[in-house]
Amino acid sequence: MPVGLALGLLAAFAWGLVDVTAAIATRRVGSLRALVGTQLVSIGVLAALVVARPDLLGPDPSAGVVSGLPLGLLAAACYVAYFTALRLGPLSIVSPVIVAYGGLTVVLAVVFRGEQLTGAQAAGAVIATGGVVLAGLTFEAGARRVPRIVGPGVVAAVLTLVGFAVLTILMATPIRDHGWLPVVIGSRIGNNAAVLGLLL
């Protein structure tokens, strides 16, 4: 199995685990407090990674950190929507809708980055994303079966989907230029500053 595919499957498993635990946390302490807690933990994990693997910072980590700072502000908005979706919506619906950001990322990569897809890849992205979006709709009974969004949690999930897709596209170039660790550190610093400001 290719390393990229294995890491993608591991990430999917991790996202599923995070969704369940975050949904429980947000319903106990609220969206913003859960977000602040997870972001503070992530800073600790990144600090430990820097100590263990300083070589991952590259020759000029400051440039990567600076490029990640504004992305952290967008990430903060995405995570507020994410935790709100998990708090308000049924997890069985909002979680798959959020994860469908991968399909939108594919579209944005083709449109804005000029990436090429095979027919099967394009069909897979459309089918996966379309199916998940349909899960977030309900159809009213009656002569005209008009689709309606299941609830406010799904609205927050759709905002998260769009935000994560845009964020993924925006992070691609800085990560290729500076390495993933400094960009993620900068993003987390911006993210934490924004959510701590909101909490205060």
Side-chain angles (χ1 to χ4, degrees):
M1 177 183 295
V3 174
L5 179 59
L7 291 174
L9 291 172
L10 180 61
F13 172 77
W15 267 116
L17 186 61
V18 167
D19 283 355
V20 173
T21 55
I24 294 168
T26 57
R27 292 170 191 187
R28 289 186 180 170
V29 301
S31 303
L32 203 50
R33 286 187 178 91
L35 172 57
V36 169
T38 59
Q39 296 307 304
L40 291 175
V41 168
S42 74
I43 286 287
V45 171
L46 287 172
L49 188 57
V50 168
V51 171
R53 293 287 309 273
D55 57 298
L56 292 175
L57 289 172
D60 185 17
S62 59
V65 170
V66 168
S67 70
L69 286 172
L71 298 173
L73 300 178
L74 174 57
C78 293
Y79 280 113
V80 168
Y82 169 74
F83 281 96
T84 301
L86 294 177
R87 181 172 58 86
L88 296 178
L91 183 60
S92 61
I93 293 176
V94 298
S95 177
V97 169
I98 291 167
V99 175
Y101 83 89
L104 181 57
T105 303
V106 170
V107 173
L108 295 178
V110 170
V111 172
F112 293 107
R113 296 180 58 86
E115 296 185 8
Q116 303 292 319
L117 296 177
T118 66
Q121 290 169 330
V126 169
I127 290 168
T129 306
V132 168
V133 169
L134 283 176
L137 299 176
T138 184
F139 292 87
E140 299 289 345
R144 296 180 62 201
R145 297 180 65 79
V146 179
R148 181 178 61 84
I149 293 177
V150 170
V154 175
V155 175
V158 170
L159 291 174
T160 307
L161 178 156
V162 173
F164 279 169
V166 170
L167 185 62
T168 301
I169 293 298
L170 292 177
M171 290 187 87
T173 298
I175 286 173
R176 287 182 181 172
D177 292 345
H178 308 291
W180 68 270
L181 186 56
V183 175
V184 170
I185 289 172
S187 174
R188 284 292 183 245
I189 291 171
N191 194 340
N192 276 273
V195 296
L196 283 172
L198 281 174
L199 184 62
L200 292 174

